[in-house]
Amino acid sequence: MRTKQAAAELAKIIAVVNNKGGVGKTTAAVHIGCALAALGKRVLCVDMDTQANLAQNFFSRKFVNTAIKAVQNGSPLPPEHHSSGVDVLTLSFYEADEEEYRAAIHAYASEYEYILIDSPPSLEKRTLSALKASSFVLIPTEAEQFAFSGISNLLQLAASYNLHILGVFINKYDPKKQVHKAFRSFIADQFSQFFLEDSIPTSTVFPNAQAENKTGFEFYTQKKPNAALEAYQAIAHSIIAA
Ligand SMILES: Nc1ncnc2c1ncn2[C@@H]1O[C@H](COP(=O)(O)OP(=O)(O)O)[C@@H](O)[C@H]1O
Ligand SMILES: [Mg+2]
């Protein structure tokens, strides 16, 4: 019983993966992280990509340079707190083997409820380490021709790591485009077991916010709700409900 209670206190560790670049992994990790934190959850976002886009989105290039120096001096920076409530662990410059990456992330498992790992755009060691460290996987995709084979391969890979699939969702979705609608319903149909109904619309909020090293939630201050940010909030709710 004691062991079970202790286990229940450990974070849900979620790898955000898709070996295709530009589909929205980093943007998803940032905004789902913020949405979970806004719901009062203790959240750690881990940057596993050497491009350190996640760390830069939350903070600045200066912060990224500090993270580089910390590793040169021996070890990665400890998690840095962001005003959204999310803590950020930058492993972008930490070179290690799969087991060391797993240990570096699991060291924080008892301090957070959710750990979201942003992974690189290929199936390299860092991505496989993210999968090894995780119990759950979340797959952002675009509504396009090559999504089907990519998702199938990722689901197989996730199964080989015994991961629970939290969901597949569509990013950069434009319902006015017939081709998007057609691919969305094809993907929803083919992967019905895992498909998340909330698609993230194409929105200038993300690139504009990122250009200022801000999250969309910080950047967007209008009263009128923003559909793309609301869609990430809905995904955060479905993660909590899972
Ligand atoms: N819903 C969206 N609408 C418009 N642009 C988006 C959206 N999501 C992400 N982007 C933009 O697409 C680019 C790639 O997103 P990113 O999250 O960096 O992808 P990945 O991490 O998979 O490479 C970034 O410039 C980002 O601002
Ligand atoms: Mg990225």
Side-chain angles (χ1 to χ4, degrees), residues 205-224:
V205 161
F206 301 111
N208 288 345
Q210 286 160 351
E212 295 185 18
N213 298 329
K214 285 183 177 166
T215 72
F217 293 108
E218 288 172 288
F219 180 83
Y220 186 83
T221 51
Q222 294 174 38
K223 281 217 176 85
K224 191 169 142 249

Side-chain angles (χ1 to χ4, degrees), residues 19-96:
N19 45 319
K20 194 163 179 296
V23 296
K25 292 177 289 296
T26 301
T27 306
V30 168
H31 292 85
I32 294 169
C34 290
L36 287 169
L39 292 167
K41 303 297 177 190
R42 285 175 285 120
V43 183
L44 180 69
C45 281
V46 181
D47 198 334
M48 275 295 279
D49 189 354
T50 51
Q51 295 178 74
N53 291 343
L54 179 128
Q56 188 168 341
N57 192 169
F58 274 111
F59 302 110
S60 61
R61 191 65 222 169
K62 197 170 155 221
F63 172 81
V64 170
N65 289 334
T66 311
I68 294 175
K69 283 208 191 87
V71 167
Q72 286 167 348
N73 291 334
S75 53
L77 282 180
E80 180 79 11
H81 189 66
H82 181 261
S83 55
S84 59
V86 172
D87 286 353
V88 180
L89 178 65
T90 308
L91 296 182
S92 307
F93 313 106
Y94 176 53
E95 286 307 327

Side-chain angles (χ1 to χ4, degrees), residues 2-20:
R2 282 183 71 130
T3 326
K4 260 196 164 172
Q5 271 178 358
E9 287 165 17
L10 295 179
K12 276 190 171 172
I13 306 184
I14 305 165
V16 183
V17 291
N18 191 324
N19 45 319
K20 194 163 179 296

Side-chain angles (χ1 to χ4, degrees), residues 30-238:
V30 168
H31 292 85
I32 294 169
C34 290
L36 287 169
L39 292 167
K41 303 297 177 190
R42 285 175 285 120
V43 183
L44 180 69
C45 281
V46 181
D47 198 334
M48 275 295 279
D49 189 354
T50 51
Q51 295 178 74
N53 291 343
L54 179 128
Q56 188 168 341
N57 192 169
F58 274 111
F59 302 110
S60 61
R61 191 65 222 169
K62 197 170 155 221
F63 172 81
V64 170
N65 289 334
T66 311
I68 294 175
K69 283 208 191 87
V71 167
Q72 286 167 348
N73 291 334
S75 53
L77 282 180
E80 180 79 11
H81 189 66
H82 181 261
S83 55
S84 59
V86 172
D87 286 353
V88 180
L89 178 65
T90 308
L91 296 182
S92 307
F93 313 106
Y94 176 53
E95 286 307 327
D97 63 28
E98 288 187 19
E99 184 46 41
E100 288 165 331
Y101 281 127
R102 200 198 69 85
I105 295 166
H106 277 244
Y108 298 101
S110 61
E111 292 177 38
Y112 296 94
E113 290 162 280
Y114 294 93
I115 298 181
L116 289 159
I117 309 176
D118 181 27
S119 58
S122 66
L123 295 180
E124 56 163 287
K125 179 178 70 176
R126 286 172 164 274
T127 306
L128 302 179
S129 303
L131 293 175
K132 189 169 181 175
S134 300
S135 308
F136 298 87
V137 71
L138 189 59
I139 303 174
T141 181
E142 288 178 57
E144 51 126 65
Q145 174 68 34
F146 302 116
F148 175 75
S149 54
I151 297 167
S152 302
N153 293 341
L154 285 169
L155 292 175
Q156 271 181 26
L157 182 67
S160 73
Y161 279 80
N162 282 324
L163 297 178
H164 177 80
I165 314 292
L166 267 186
V168 172
F169 68 91
I170 293 180
N171 185 29
K172 301 188 190 177
Y173 181 59
D174 183 352
K176 287 195 225 87
K177 289 190 179 156
Q178 280 311 318
V179 65
H180 278 202
K181 274 171 77 170
F183 277 116
R184 185 184 186 278
S185 53
F186 178 69
I187 292 167
D189 185 50
Q190 295 295 315
F191 304 104
S192 56
Q193 210 186 331
F194 309 117
F195 188 73
L196 299 180
E197 287 298 327
D198 294 290
S199 300
I200 315 295
T202 303
S203 170
T204 53
V205 161
F206 301 111
N208 288 345
Q210 286 160 351
E212 295 185 18
N213 298 329
K214 285 183 177 166
T215 72
F217 293 108
E218 288 172 288
F219 180 83
Y220 186 83
T221 51
Q222 294 174 38
K223 281 217 176 85
K224 191 169 142 249
N226 176 279
L229 295 173
E230 283 191 325
Y232 273 126
Q233 286 165 329
I235 290 179
H237 278 288
S238 53

